[in-house]
Amino acid sequence: MHTTRIMYVITTGESGGAQSHLFDLCTHLPEKFKSTVVTGFKGPMGDKLEQSGIPVQVIPSLRREISPGTDFKAYQEIYRLINSWHPDLVCLHSSKAGFLGRLAAWRNGIPAIFTAHGWAFAEGVPP
């Protein structure tokens, strides 16, 4: 049986809806799927994933704030992890992870899926 490798990328592992969604995806897939999670901050989600046997990679430069130098460093790390783990699919959650992860996956020739969990440019969201 072929194992399908899925790499999930999310900006932070704090408690929230996107993190709960990602946790449920990783822990409820059939055995033919192998998951790993990349995040900028492990937080409660990362701890729960590791307790469930899901590996978590932390990239401290993957942050919410826009910072071209730090963002480029995070992109390079995501690219490197994709290149070394060879996932069949990269699943991206949160705006920053979605942008940087899609570029890194595309450059590695790996398909990527982005799930929007909120709208960063909606009324009431601080700049």
Side-chain angles (χ1 to χ4, degrees):
M1 170 173 51
H2 171 72
T3 299
T4 301
R5 296 162 65 92
I6 302 174
M7 177 179 283
Y8 296 90
V9 184
I10 190 165
T11 307
T12 181
E14 65 191 15
S15 296
Q19 291 78 11
S20 296
H21 172 76
L22 190 146
F23 178 82
D24 288 343
L25 285 172
C26 290
T27 57
H28 290 87
L29 288 173
E31 287 186 25
K32 72 176 190 168
F33 294 95
K34 182 175 181 175
S35 299
T36 191
V37 174
V38 177
T39 185
F41 169 72
K42 188 173 13 168
M45 176 205 65
D47 292 336
K48 285 174 49 182
L49 285 167
E50 287 183 336
Q51 290 169 3
S52 297
I54 308 292
V56 176
Q57 302 287 325
V58 177
I59 299 176
S61 56
L62 181 56
R63 303 179 190 155
R64 282 191 179 139
E65 303 79 29
I66 296 172
S67 171
T70 305
D71 294 344
F72 184 69
K73 185 176 179 182
Y75 160 77
Q76 289 177 312
E77 282 297 305
I78 295 168
Y79 173 83
R80 184 188 63 77
L81 287 171
I82 292 171
N83 193 39
S84 66
W85 200 65
H86 306 290
D88 297 295
L89 179 66
V90 178
C91 294
L92 305 151
H93 301 266
S94 73
S95 298
K96 179 69 72 74
F99 178 74
L100 299 176
R102 279 182 282 190
L103 286 175
W106 173 77
R107 188 167 167 222
N108 274 294
I110 305 295
I113 295 174
F114 171 68
T115 302
H117 293 278
W119 302 109
F121 305 107
E123 188 176 321
V125 175

